[in-house]
Every structure is written in structure tokens, then in C-alpha cells.
Amino acid sequence: SDQTQEKYVDKKNPFFLRFKSPEKIVNDSYFYLHTNSHSSVESTRPFGDFVKPFSGTLIEIPSLNFIAIVSPSIFVIIVAVIILCCIVNRKNNKKKKAKYIVIVFFAIIILGRIFIPWVLEPENFRDTKNKINSFINRYTIPDSYNAKSLIAVDLSNNNDFVSKRANEQQTPASLAKLFVIDYATTLVDLDDVVLAKNEAISLTKQGSSVANIKEKKYYVKNLFAAMLVPSGNDAAYVLADYCGGIISPKATTSKERIEVFMKNLNEYLKQNDYKDTILYDPSGFDTEAHTTVLDLKEVVMDLLKNEWFKDIVSQTSYTATLPDGSMQTWKNTNTFLDPTSEYYNKNVIGVKTGSLSDDFNLVVLYKKHGKEFLICSLGSKSNSSRYDDVNYIIKTIDESDYLSR
């Protein structure tokens, strides 16, 4: 009923639930929903019979993501403690033992102070944290949507199919490259030739994704593909360096040219009503940047008007022909496009991934029965959980009566 929804749903940040059994997991902040009714309830929302108003008790489960973040630190500290304890046990003198115990205690504190902040950095132990998070999310909160922010839109009529905290700002990570490319298209042509400078390439941060850009000539379209398919941060710096030189020919270093480019990019975003997006790094490797799924929806819809964009983002791997006639091939980071992956879905025809620290993002173009849906999802807890989250939305689309209308 409306009263039930009034009680359990924050109208500013609505979220939606699909369930077939008495107990399912709600897609917000790890809540369990214990429903009191087994009956089917009609809904006026696009999901049809698969959406039910809430009736029951919400029980909050604390986030488990902190475990994944600090686990590597805990492991190293435990190993250090074991080694130090072994040293202590070899000492027979009680006074010496007490002395070594004090040393061990302070050593643990020092190790924790030094090592834990280092582990919290996005690029450190990233694979380990991702695997831990994947395990936690897959086996503790299955069959649900658990990311921070979502919008799914029917591109045939531009109607929002479902949303969750669509106005809430999140870290874009590599999805920032979509805004960079959108702005760059106003400055350059696809066939423009760019000399990739080592000065720009060397700005790529350690541990970030790369397209193995070399100090040679590339077409602008090559750089776009290198940013979209393998999510190459090196290509983003080269492009921003080149565009910055167009904007400010007097800039003498790559860093200066990139700063000019980013300043003008943010002005462009304001002018084009991307009011909740601000970027500081062309690669997206920056935790201070922010965007919303609403802004992402708009920029992707704009880019999808270009056939070259749709062609690039739809391919499992992309082979670029460079100005010197050589070729370079990149594999797509979007696992939905990989026929060898458990997440492969033939109806997914793009678009892009993005991840930084413990936020894993995904934008997907999904086509079924002649309808195209753009799904923008931000803030999943691991690489695999972002696909699980989007899969949940895809399944909801498939199982609703919306496609048959």
C-alpha cells in the first residue's frame, strides 16, 4: 500500500525490490527484508508483478567491506607478531622476556600505524582486496542489487526504468574518461594525428590500467579506443596533453597542458548542465572527483549518437591501425562482452567499466526484444559484484512484463 511505502521508503532516495520468496535481500545498505505476505501484489511501476511494496521488518547488517581493506594489514602484523614471539620464547630470563614483550607491543603499534594507511591506498593490494570483497559479497548478499547508486533508462522513450540514489555523488574512477572524450570531440577530429610524448605517458600512476601507449604517433580515434576498451590511463594523459596544447599553445610542459585541459573540461561540464560532476584527472585515477548516475546517463547517451563510439565499446577486443600502418590490439575490460566469462551476455553491447579503491562501477547498454536499456551502476564492492549487481537489474528487466508491452 502507499502507507507501507511511505513508512519504509525514503522518497528522496527510492529503491526497488524484486522477490519471489518470503525472504529476500533489499538492495540498500545490506538490509534483509522479512516479508509477512506471500501474495502477489500489483504495481504501477514498470516491473509489473515483480515489484511489491514493503511489508515487514528491516534488519541492518553492518558492511563487511572493512574486512577486505584491512585483511592484508592484519596478516602482515600477525606474521610479525609470531616472529617476535618466537624470539621472546627463546629468552629464558624473565626480565628479558618482559622487556621483549614491551618491544613486541610497541612494534605492533608502529607496524599498524605505518602499514594500514599504506594498504588503504587504492593501488596497494588491490587484487587481494578485490578477491576478499568478491567472496564476501557473493556468499553473504546474493541475488540483490547492492551498489551505491543506479539508474536504468529505456532509450526508446528516455523513461527511467529504475533508480537508486540517482542524485548522490560517487567516485567515477575510469568512467571519467567518458566526459574527457565527450569534451575532446569538441576540440579534435578522429583522424587527427597525435604524437604521444613520454612526458605525458610518464604521468600514469603506478598500479593503474594502461593501454601500453608508446612514444609514437596515434590517431585521435586510436586514443579514444585505448581509453574505452582497456581503459588506458596512459592514453588519457596523452589525449589531455594534446588537447591542452590546442587550448593553450604557450603551455610548455605536459603537466601544464593537462591542467589547462582539465580546467576547461570542468567549465564545459558546467555549461552543459553536468552540474554534479567535477574531475581533476583525465584518467579518473582520483578519489576527489565525483559524478552521479544521472550525469553519466546524459554523457553516454550523447556519445551513443556516434557510430564510432558504439563500434568501439561493443567489441570484446579492438584492433587499432596506427598512422605508421602498425596495429595494436586491446582487450575490453567489460566482462559481459567476453564469451569465455561466466558473466557473458550476448545482449550486452557496451559500454565501460571503472574502478578505484573499493568502488567498482559499470555502465552497460543492454538490448532485448528491440528495446535498449542504458544501465549506470556506481559503487559495487568488488569486480565480480558489479556484474552481479547489474545482472540483477537485467534479470528484473527480463522477468518483468515491460518487454512485452
Side-chain angles (χ1 to χ4, degrees), residues 148-390:
K148 296 175 182 176
S149 187
L150 163 77
I151 193 165
V153 58
D154 180 353
L155 294 182
S156 67
N157 53 24
N158 202 27
N159 286 341
D160 293 346
F161 183 78
V162 62
S163 65
K164 171 187 172 182
R165 295 177 174 172
N167 292 302
E168 189 172 285
Q169 293 177 342
Q170 308 291 349
T171 304
S174 281
L175 296 182
K177 296 183 179 78
L178 296 168
F179 295 101
V180 170
I181 291 173
D182 185 54
Y183 174 51
T185 57
T186 67
L187 302 171
V188 295
D189 294 322
L190 294 178
D191 294 329
D192 287 354
V193 177
V194 179
L195 175 61
K197 299 181 178 70
N198 187 60
E199 184 185 2
I201 298 170
S202 64
L203 295 174
T204 308
K205 297 179 180 68
Q206 184 179 3
S208 62
S209 56
V210 296
N212 294 315
I213 298 298
K214 307 298 181 184
E215 196 171 6
K216 59 191 297 186
K217 291 180 179 180
Y218 291 84
Y219 291 118
V220 165
K221 185 179 179 181
N222 299 155
L223 295 176
F224 284 172
M227 293 166 66
L228 292 167
V229 178
S231 198
N233 289 2
D234 46 359
Y237 290 116
V238 170
L239 179 69
D241 180 32
Y242 178 71
C243 292
I246 294 173
I247 298 168
S248 179
K250 293 182 179 180
T252 57
T253 66
S254 291
K255 189 174 181 181
E256 288 176 359
R257 289 187 287 270
I258 291 172
E259 286 176 354
V260 169
F261 174 80
M262 295 307 298
K263 180 181 178 181
N264 282 267
L265 167 61
N266 284 306
E267 287 298 321
Y268 170 82
L269 295 176
K270 289 180 184 178
Q271 293 169 8
N272 287 271
D273 205 29
Y274 296 114
K275 58 184 179 179
D276 292 314
T277 300
I278 186 166
L279 307 172
Y280 302 102
D281 188 298
S283 72
F285 200 93
D286 176 27
T287 56
E288 298 300 315
H290 57 75
T291 190
T292 63
V293 289
L294 288 174
D295 281 357
L296 277 169
K297 178 193 78 169
E298 293 300 326
V299 73
V300 174
M301 287 175 63
D302 189 49
L303 288 168
L304 285 171
K305 296 174 184 176
N306 303 296
E307 288 300 323
W308 60 264
F309 179 81
K310 290 194 287 186
D311 176 62
I312 290 172
V313 298
S314 66
Q315 298 191 38
T316 305
S317 63
Y318 183 89
T319 299
T321 302
L322 310 188
D324 63 2
S326 64
M327 294 184 178
Q328 195 164 351
T329 300
W330 299 294
K331 184 178 179 180
N332 205 314
T333 57
N334 188 349
T335 304
F336 274 131
L337 300 175
D338 183 2
T340 65
S341 168
E342 63 177 306
Y343 291 107
Y344 173 68
N345 189 320
K346 65 180 181 180
N347 295 314
V348 171
I349 52 177
V351 180
K352 189 170 177 1
T353 63
S355 58
L356 183 65
S357 187
D358 60 341
D359 285 318
F360 291 79
N361 307 328
L362 183 59
V363 176
V364 159
L365 184 61
Y366 179 68
K367 187 174 183 179
K368 192 74 174 286
H369 298 317
K371 285 184 178 289
E372 289 186 350
F373 296 86
L374 181 63
I375 303 170
C376 302
S377 177
L378 297 176
S380 294
K381 295 301 179 183
S382 70
N383 182 42
S384 61
S385 65
R386 65 175 151 193
Y387 294 102
D388 293 330
D389 287 335
V390 172

Side-chain angles (χ1 to χ4, degrees), residues 1 4 8 17 19 22 33-37 41 52-57:
S1 68
T4 305
Y8 287 103
L17 172 68
F19 67 92
L33 172 69
H34 297 274
T35 178
N36 299 322
S37 172
V41 183
K52 319 291 195 290
F54 303 124
S55 59
T57 305

